[in-house]
Each structure stands twice: as C-alpha cells, then as structure tokens.
Amino acid sequence: MKQILGLTAMISLALSSSISAEQPLYVAYPPDDHKTTSDRIFLIGTAAQEGEVSINGQVIPRSPAGHFAPTVRLQLGENTFILRYKNQKIKLNITRISTEATPLETVSFLKDSLTPSENIAILPGELVCFSAIAPQKATVSVKLAGQTIPLSSQSQSLELPDNKAVLTGQNQPIKANTVKYQGCGVIANNLSFSADKKILDLGKPEYQLTLNNQTLTQNATGQISILSPTQFEIAEVIAEEGTARTGPSTDNSRLTPLPKGTRARIIGRQGEFLRLDYGGWIKANETRITTEPIPPNSLIRSASSRQVGDWLEVSFPLQTPVPITVKQEDQSFTLTLYNTTAQTDTIRFNDNALISRMDWQPVLSPLGEKAQDAVQYTFHFKTKQQWGYKLRYDGTTLVLSFKNPPQLQSNLPLSGLNILIDPGHGSQNDLGAKGPTGYPEKDVTLVVSKLLEAELIKRGASVFMTRQGDEDLYPQDRVKMINKQEPDLSISIHYNALPDNGDAIKTKGVSTFWYNPQAHSLAVFLHHYLVKTLNRPSYGVFWNNLALTRPTVAPSVLLELGFMINPEEFEWIVNPQEQQKLAITLADGIVEWVKLTQ
C-alpha cells in the first residue's frame, strides 16, 4: 500500500512538471481576456529555470524551480501584458471593470438605484424605507398610495468590502463617491381588506428629483404590497433543511436551518424570499404556502429523553412544528422554540454519560418581562467535547439528538473512531486552484487524502473517503455523505488561492476553517499542530460559512494546507516526501486532539 501511494505521489509530481517540460513558458492564471474589478492581479506561471522571464520588458523574479507570480497594476479598461522567455511570447488581455458609481452631474437617478428593486410585501403599519442615488444638492421625494415622503441626502455614505476582503487584509469601509438619498415612512396604515383578500397592491413608488429648476419623475422597478392582517399566509418547510437567513438574499447570513415540516406565519415578502414571524427569511421554493384563520402556535408541557444507538434523543411534543434556533457553546447547548408557550411541570431526563442537566425558561426581554411566545432549553454537558447533533420533526414532535462520545479501544490510539476524509474538488469540471505549472488542486488533494487515509488506518481509525478518483461531486453531494455516514470527525482537504487583488508571492501558509462551535477546538488544535510540527507559515484560523464546515452530525473542519499560487510553497505542496510528512503529522495531530477530549 505504501509503495502504491508513493508511486501515486511521484506520478503527480511528474504531471506537475510536464507542462514546464513541453512548453518552457506557461501562464496558469489569469486566462486571456480575463475580466476583473480588482485594481491589480497576479500572473501565475512557469518557465525553464535557465534564462529570464519579462513582463512588458521588465524582468520578474522567479522561484528556484522557475515559477513566478508577480502582481501587476491594472488601469480601468483594457490592459495588455506581453510575457517573454527567450524566443517565446505570450500575450494577455485583461479588462478592469469599474465598480464605483460615477457622480451624477445631470438631472437623473443612477441606474438601478431606486428601491425597492424587486417586489416586496409588508404588514399594515410597518415602516418601509426608500433610497435613491442622485446628484448633490437635489431635492428628492417618493410618492406612494397618496403619501409623499421626502428623502434626505446622507453626508457620509460608506460601502463595505465583500467577505473576501478579510483574506487579503483590506477589510475597511470605503467612502462612496455618490450621494444617496434616504427616507422612511408608514404607508397606507388604514387600508380596509375584504374578508377574502390576502394582499393589496399599492403599485410602484414614484420618485421625484428636482435640481436647477428641472424636475424628473421615475418609478422604482419593484412594487409594494400590503399583507392582510387577518388572512394569514402560512409557510411550511418542504426542504429537508430549510435555509433560514438574516435577510432576503443569499448574501445574508445563515441562521439555524429549519427542519422539514416547520410552520410559521409569513409577515413579509421580497423577491423570491419570505419573511417568517420569528425573524428569519427563507426562499419560497423551499416551502408550501397555505392560508389559515390563525397563525401556528403551540403549547409545550413535557420533554423526555432516551438512548438510540450512538445518539441521545430528546423529544419535545408540540401541537405544530414551530421555528427553532440553536446556540452552541463549549459546555452548553441552547435550543429556542418560537411561537411556543410553556405549560411545563414535569420533564423526564434520566442520568446519562453525556448531559449533566437540562434547564428551561421563557424568552425574556432585557427588562425581564416576557418578550414573545418562545421557550429556551439549555443542556449542560459532562464531556469536554460535543461530538455532533441533529434535529428533525417526527410528526409534530421535535427530536433533538446528541452524538455520544466515540468508544475508543485500547490497542491503537484511534480504534473505534470513524473519520470521513473529503478530498477537495474533483473531475474536469472542478479543478480547484491551479499551481504555476497548471497542476490542479483536485489532484494534490486526492494524493494527500489517500496518504492520510493510510496513516489513520495504521492508527486504528475506520476511514470513509468521499471520492477515490475523479468523481464529479458538488459540495451538497459531499454534505449528504457526511450526514449519511455520521462520522466522528469530518475533514475536508484543500489547497488555497486568493482573490485577484491578493499577493501571490508574499501570501503562504496553512489555514483552517470551522463553522459550528463543536468544531472550533479541532480546527485550532490541528492548525497549531501542523504549523509547529512542520515549521510552516500560519495563514490563520477562520470561522467561515462553507458547505463542508456546516454539517452538525460531527465536528467538521476544512483545511487549506498551503497556497497553490505561491511559487515557492507550490514546490513544497507537490513534493512527495513533504506530502507523506504532512499526512503523518495530520494523523498524529488527530491522535493528540482525541486524547485531549477524553
């Protein structure tokens, strides 16, 4: 087995060098005619070691193996770069696209700046806000349903960078060079609904702009509607896990997923999203919508627990499946049931090896009075480590399951432990990042994952691999495997890259990513263990909303074991001896972390 894995690693290294041998000058990134919004970009490639490589006549530094990744500045519009090596030439055309809105000088609104840009629905009496981008010193107002709301210019309008900015150290607000006008009001507060009317359309807001004695009127693209206060629309989650968010777009943060069957009143709409009465937003296509005379609410009187295989199940009988959220901490776990009123006198919770105590209380406001119909249950753990949880509705009974700690055997350090390894990317449709030679991330993750698999088996673990070759797997396919296997640990193996405005030469190192608190200690421990033992740079430990870190059935982490795009680190990444050393160190790190959990 070891000889086969060693041969695989040697083949991978040969493949990584083949492009360089066949074509001395090669550019792996960016492709020709690349478009970007960044003001700079790195050019990643390689050439034979002897000789010089130049970009637009300027010789660039290269690694001992001949790889390069210089950063070049980009002007707005088209940029042309000529790379030369001996008698070879590669021409790259790169277009920088502006993301900054140009200050307006004419009597007009900035295109697509009027809100709402998509249809929205709100409750009667609810505050609604409007905004537009217009020239300085203009007078702007909006008219809807017979009301006129003046909009005020904002003296300090800031734009936030996207989430990738934290990866390049440029995570600072940027002052906008345009003027935004904003205002809020209560629209059509005294509308009358007929008995069978569920929604009233108010039409599209009409904006008016006046400047230099010129007036312009223009409608927003989205219209506003008012939901009936008595004809309640109910959303029932039909997805296995409904994706709840803090707002009506996929850019908004995720909340605790809603189990299939969850029912809640719809109190707002925006585009394809529904706002539910407990505060979360969900896509309409993940729900079935009905109309009912009363909103879903439930009493709760009792709770009980039982052991089922490797799991401790806690059951909460309800009258209807209600929305929930989860808060997980090192030694506790809090479950909140919304639209629920407690009538609890008796709870059966037998002593067990996992939970020391369960407490409950109604949700209170900061002043101590009851804030809403919601009940919280807090579990206090006996163990140092939480090994996973899952939630489901069995009819109208909510079932919360906690994973019992693995039963380790004494003969080998990981005997009794089930570990899932996910080699990142795979197939010709998902190469991942590419190194200077064009060698794809998908190949090196598979080589290292197989080496790690062998090392974990030596230490007694049972190992499941999400792929053994070039299987074409989406992230959700891998997540389904994790949920089906219910391993004790889930580890996803990756190698890193950067956004266009990063520095591919200076940036290197190992990083780890976690999402659920039960995975935090594993992520931090493995990160520091790898950095110290292998004497590698640290790129950092990150909380990150990644598909392979979100599963709750096990502590799930994603490792970025180095930067494919860094010319020097790439040589470490594809070195067979270093790959073997990495696998051994990672397996040893898991052993040491497991010891700490006992």
Side-chain angles (χ1 to χ4, degrees):
M1 182 70 174
K2 185 174 181 180
Q3 290 178 340
I4 293 174
L5 290 170
L7 179 61
T8 302
M10 291 176 66
I11 291 172
S12 73
L13 181 60
L15 287 172
S16 73
S17 303
S18 62
I19 295 176
S20 178
E22 296 170 4
Q23 181 181 339
L25 180 61
Y26 174 77
V27 176
Y29 185 85
D32 192 24
D33 293 328
H34 179 67
K35 293 179 174 59
T36 181
T37 58
S38 174
D39 63 352
R40 71 200 76 182
I41 197 169
F42 40 73
L43 307 182
I44 304 171
T46 192
Q49 292 167 290
E50 66 279 359
E52 295 178 335
V53 174
S54 66
I55 298 178
N56 289 353
Q58 183 175 351
V59 175
I60 60 173
R62 297 196 288 153
S63 73
H67 309 320
F68 56 83
T71 293
V72 294
R73 291 283 179 176
L74 297 176
Q75 303 296 321
L76 284 173
E78 293 187 1
N79 297 261
T80 299
F81 299 97
I82 305 295
L83 289 85
R84 295 184 183 274
Y85 172 75
K86 295 186 177 180
N87 62 346
Q88 295 192 29
K89 181 178 77 171
I90 294 177
K91 180 179 179 181
L92 292 177
N93 292 308
I94 302 171
T95 302
R96 177 186 167 193
I97 302 168
S98 175
T99 58
E100 296 183 0
T102 304
L104 297 168
E105 297 179 356
T106 60
V107 181
S108 64
F109 292 107
L110 184 69
K111 183 180 179 182
D112 300 328
S113 71
L114 306 184
T115 63
S117 58
E118 52 190 358
N119 295 343
I120 67 171
I122 59 175
L123 293 174
E126 187 175 345
L127 192 70
V128 60
C129 294
F130 303 90
S131 66
I133 294 177
Q136 291 185 6
K137 299 181 180 180
T139 300
V140 181
S141 62
V142 64
K143 182 185 293 184
L144 183 68
Q147 292 180 244
T148 299
I149 298 174
L151 306 188
S152 302
S153 62
Q154 305 303 302
S155 58
Q156 187 91 28
S157 183
L158 297 177
E159 296 180 1
L160 293 177
D162 65 23
N163 275 304
K164 294 188 181 73
V166 72
L167 301 174
T168 57
Q170 302 172 38
N171 191 28
Q172 296 294 327
I174 303 167
K175 185 176 181 180
N177 64 348
T178 55
V179 180
K180 179 177 282 190
Y181 292 79
Q182 294 179 305
C184 301
V186 176
I187 304 297
N189 194 24
N190 298 315
L191 290 175
S192 59
F193 283 76
S194 59
D196 60 344
K197 194 73 171 176
K198 295 184 294 184
I199 192 167
L200 288 179
D201 295 331
L202 302 182
K204 298 178 179 180
E206 181 184 84
Y207 282 80
Q208 185 177 87
L209 183 159
T210 302
L211 180 67
N212 298 330
N213 296 320
Q214 298 182 58
T215 298
L216 168 74
T217 59
Q218 184 176 326
N219 288 335
T221 55
Q223 71 176 22
I224 296 178
S225 303
I226 305 296
L227 297 173
S228 168
T230 57
Q231 293 293 310
F232 302 114
E233 284 193 309
I234 309 301
E236 179 181 334
V237 176
I238 58 174
E240 287 301 321
E241 286 190 339
T243 304
R245 295 184 180 274
T246 57
S249 83
T250 55
D251 290 333
N252 287 95
S253 300
R254 290 173 179 256
L255 300 171
T256 302
L258 298 176
K260 184 176 182 179
T262 300
R263 302 177 74 246
R265 179 166 66 110
I266 299 170
I267 62 170
R269 292 173 175 261
Q270 182 164 331
E272 61 180 339
F273 281 84
L274 308 175
R275 184 183 177 193
L276 305 183
D277 55 10
Y278 83 108
W281 292 77
I282 188 172
K283 281 187 175 181
N285 63 8
E286 296 188 32
T287 71
R288 179 175 65 91
I289 300 173
T290 59
T291 302
E292 298 182 13
I294 59 173
N297 289 279
S298 180
L299 300 174
I300 185 165
R301 290 177 179 159
S302 62
S304 60
S305 65
R306 63 173 185 161
Q307 290 287 341
V308 180
D310 293 335
W311 297 83
L312 173 66
E313 285 191 351
V314 186
S315 296
F316 302 89
L318 299 165
Q319 294 167 302
T320 189
V322 298
I324 61 168
T325 57
V326 159
K327 179 182 179 182
Q328 190 179 38
E329 297 181 294
D330 289 344
Q331 292 296 119
S332 66
F333 183 103
T334 300
L335 170 71
T336 301
L337 307 179
Y338 295 91
N339 303 333
T340 303
T341 302
Q343 290 186 350
T344 303
D345 284 329
T346 305
I347 293 176
R348 179 173 180 173
F349 207 88
N350 295 332
D351 186 48
N352 61 83
L354 190 62
I355 306 295
S356 63
R357 191 178 77 249
M358 182 184 76
D359 301 327
W360 76 269
Q361 63 180 13
V363 174
L364 300 178
S365 76
L367 297 179
E369 70 272 15
K370 186 177 178 182
Q372 62 181 86
D373 289 333
V375 185
Q376 286 185 338
Y377 294 85
T378 300
F379 300 84
H380 303 275
F381 287 84
K382 294 178 179 178
T383 57
K384 298 178 182 178
Q385 172 65 35
Q386 297 179 48
W387 291 90
Y389 72 91
K390 52 188 178 180
L391 284 154
R392 75 176 193 276
Y393 272 110
D394 186 357
T396 63
T397 296
L398 179 67
V399 180
L400 168 61
S401 301
F402 293 110
K403 183 79 172 289
N404 291 315
Q407 299 300 308
L408 299 179
Q409 311 300 318
S410 59
N411 52 334
L412 290 170
L414 297 182
S415 290
L417 202 72
N418 297 307
I419 300 177
L420 180 142
I421 302 176
D422 172 50
H425 305 283
S427 85
Q428 295 305 310
N429 298 319
D430 185 13
L431 300 177
K434 290 195 295 184
T437 65
Y439 185 52
E441 179 186 354
K442 75 175 182 71
D443 287 353
V444 70
T445 59
L446 186 60
V447 170
V448 170
S449 294
K450 288 184 174 180
L451 291 171
L452 176 59
E453 176 189 28
E455 293 299 325
L456 292 173
I457 290 172
K458 285 180 187 177
R459 290 157 179 76
S462 296
V463 180
F464 177 86
M465 297 269 286
T466 59
R467 68 181 179 97
Q468 294 287 346
D470 257 4
E471 293 91 333
D472 198 357
L473 299 172
Y474 290 102
Q476 56 266 35
D477 298 323
R478 302 165 195 258
V479 170
K480 287 179 181 178
M481 291 182 187
I482 296 172
N483 290 331
K484 180 180 179 181
Q485 293 296 320
E486 296 183 352
D488 297 309
L489 298 177
S490 173
I491 298 175
S492 189
I493 302 296
H494 286 255
Y495 286 86
N496 223 337
L498 286 171
D500 284 347
N501 62 345
D503 190 323
I505 292 178
K506 292 181 180 178
T507 308
K508 60 177 65 174
V510 173
S511 53
T512 58
F513 295 79
W514 63 279
Y515 181 74
N516 294 300
Q518 64 192 17
H520 177 254
S521 67
L522 176 62
V524 172
F525 185 89
L526 288 182
H527 179 82
H528 291 307
Y529 192 86
L530 291 172
V531 167
K532 182 178 179 180
T533 306
L534 297 174
N535 193 29
R536 300 303 304 167
S538 169
Y539 186 59
V541 178
F542 298 85
W543 178 91
N544 205 329
N545 173 23
L546 300 169
L548 273 301
T549 62
R550 287 199 300 267
T552 65
V553 295
S556 303
V557 298
L558 185 144
L559 306 179
E560 297 277 5
L561 295 169
F563 279 82
M564 295 288 289
I565 61 177
N566 182 283
E568 294 183 354
E569 192 159 59
F570 175 72
E571 287 304 302
W572 175 80
I573 289 170
V574 298
N575 183 300
Q577 289 76 32
E578 296 297 339
Q579 291 172 343
Q580 182 69 58
K581 189 186 300 182
L582 171 60
I584 292 171
T585 304
L586 186 51
D588 287 343
I590 292 171
V591 169
E592 294 303 315
W593 178 80
V594 170
K595 288 180 183 177
L596 294 176
T597 67
Q598 302 305 298

